[in-house]
């Protein structure tokens, strides 16, 4: 496993509409100068988003190819490539994204991502993991019960009986 590179830092502005690529193991810190939209062109990214007037992070968002995230002026975010949904964790590939100014980009878009979509994805993954753990537990209990039902050796009676 390769250690993460130190995050590079860029500012998103109208002059930066080019597609950027992040290799596996890289992280990128960004700040939006104006409202706009981040679009993942290829791969998948984990985004940690923070608002300038908010002391807390707005949350972590998982975005796949074709998905978008609306940003407000001053938003700070960190992007890291991750494995696509449904792929094994070791299947991290390079991610490509672009940014475009968008005056109509509202807070409701970000709220949906951070307040509904991200937690729903986390819950889905947690339930999948819990289901797998429950299945393994059931198999273990059945295997143990099968061993427990085997006849046990009869205890020695000579020393235990009062005759």
């Amino acid at each position: 496993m390769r250690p993460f590179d130190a995050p590079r830092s860029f500012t998103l502005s109208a002059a930066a509409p080019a597609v950027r690529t992040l290799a596996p193991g890289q992280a990128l810190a960004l700040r939006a100068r104006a409202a706009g939209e981040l679009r993942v062109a290829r791969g998948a990214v984990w985004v940690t988003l923070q608002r300038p007037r908010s002391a807390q992070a707005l949350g972590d968002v998982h975005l796949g190819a074709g998905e978008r995230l609306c940003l407000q002026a001053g938003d700070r975010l960190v992007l890291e490539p991750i494995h696509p949904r449904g792929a094994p964790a070791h299947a991290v590939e390079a991610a490509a994204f672009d940014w475009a100014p968008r005056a109509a980009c509202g807070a409701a878009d970000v709220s949906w991502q951070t307040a509904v979509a991200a937690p729903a994805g986390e819950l889905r993954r947690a339930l999948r993991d819990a289901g797998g753990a429950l299945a393994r537990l059931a198999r273990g209990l059945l295997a143990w019960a099968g061993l427990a039902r085997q006849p046990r050796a009869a205890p020695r009676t000579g020393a235990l009986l009062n005759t």
Side-chain angles (χ1 to χ4, degrees):
M1 182 184 276
R2 188 172 120 187
F4 284 100
D5 296 335
R8 295 177 294 158
S9 182
F10 289 101
T11 299
L12 298 173
S13 64
V19 173
R20 298 189 184 274
T21 303
L22 274 175
Q26 288 184 323
L28 179 65
L30 300 169
R31 185 177 63 83
R33 280 194 183 158
E37 184 176 73
L38 179 84
R39 182 185 65 88
V40 178
R42 183 183 71 238
V45 294
W46 190 263
V47 181
T48 301
L49 179 62
Q50 185 172 14
R51 287 272 143 77
R53 291 174 194 70
S54 174
Q56 65 183 11
L58 289 178
D60 293 329
V61 180
H62 180 258
L63 297 174
E67 293 183 303
R68 302 166 187 267
L69 179 65
C70 282
L71 303 173
Q72 296 178 4
D75 282 354
R76 294 181 183 276
L77 56 150
V78 176
L79 299 172
E80 299 175 58
I82 59 172
H83 60 90
R85 288 184 181 109
H90 66 277
V92 177
E93 58 187 49
F97 68 95
D98 62 8
W99 182 87
R102 183 174 157 207
C105 191
D109 292 334
V110 175
S111 300
W112 173 260
Q113 282 293 337
T114 58
V116 177
E122 292 169 11
L123 179 60
R124 183 178 56 249
R125 287 185 292 278
L127 290 173
R128 182 191 63 220
D129 291 345
L134 182 61
R136 289 188 303 276
L137 175 63
R139 283 193 301 271
L141 286 172
L142 289 173
W144 179 81
L147 293 175
R149 289 184 187 163
Q150 291 178 356
R152 295 187 178 154
R156 292 186 214 174
T157 58
L160 296 176
L161 295 176
N162 293 329
T163 54

